[in-house]
Amino acid sequence: KVRLQADGRLGQHRYSGTFHALRTIPAQEGPLALLRGIGPSVSRAMCINGAGIATYDQAKSLVVSHLGVEASSIWGHLMSSMLSGLVTASVSAPFDVVKTRLMNQPQGTKLYSGAIDCARKTIEKEGLPALYKGFVPSWSRLA
């Protein structure tokens, strides 16, 4: 998915579709190439689920107690979801950036030795805000 999206942005098409990518990547780079970026993906999933589950009920309590919104109303759910999504997107954005950069490393080039190296180099080269690229779309998707 990440490679197909990157190809579209770059205007070059290495793969004609998902199944072509699933055949071509292991043939050219070995079967383990399909697992590149799995560590950051699993870490991201843990953070998203942990942050989302932990914050939704807390957000709902705040919305009900401080704003007087009924818990089961559409506004109660909407506001709670937006607050929970904000926290979740804030926690997961660095994992998204690192995962995408690791998966998009050019074949035969090792720009990063792992997730921590990728995060460190990204912050050194582009600053801390670089880990939050794509934050607004991520938040809108999670909220």
Side-chain angles (χ1 to χ4, degrees):
K1 173 187 160 193
V2 172
R3 289 185 186 203
L4 291 170
Q5 289 174 331
D7 282 357
R9 275 195 315 269
L10 298 174
Q12 64 184 44
H13 298 284
R14 295 177 287 185
Y15 315 108
S16 60
T18 304
F19 294 111
H20 181 243
L22 287 172
R23 283 190 313 272
T24 305
I25 293 169
Q28 291 179 348
E29 302 172 41
L32 292 179
L34 292 174
L35 300 177
R36 187 180 300 147
I38 197 167
S41 294
V42 170
S43 299
R44 174 190 178 271
M46 291 184 335
C47 288
I48 283 178
N49 290 315
I53 291 168
T55 58
Y56 183 79
D57 287 333
Q58 290 297 317
K60 188 168 260 191
S61 293
L62 285 172
V63 166
V64 169
S65 65
H66 287 75
L67 300 177
V69 176
E70 190 174 318
S72 61
S73 72
I74 187 75
W75 292 111
H77 291 298
L78 181 66
M79 290 176 174
S80 302
S81 178
M82 288 183 70
L83 287 171
S84 178
L86 178 66
V87 172
T88 303
S90 298
V91 169
S92 68
F95 291 97
D96 286 334
V97 170
V98 167
K99 173 184 71 107
T100 301
R101 288 179 183 215
L102 285 173
M103 290 177 163
N104 279 332
Q105 289 185 98
Q107 179 185 354
T109 305
K110 191 130 178 155
L111 301 173
Y112 313 107
S113 62
I116 293 172
D117 183 53
C118 179
R120 183 182 54 77
K121 286 179 178 175
T122 299
I123 292 168
E124 286 174 358
K125 185 177 178 182
E126 302 172 50
L128 189 62
L131 293 178
Y132 288 89
K133 287 183 176 179
F135 176 80
V136 173
S138 178
W139 178 27
S140 64
R141 185 177 64 241
L142 292 168

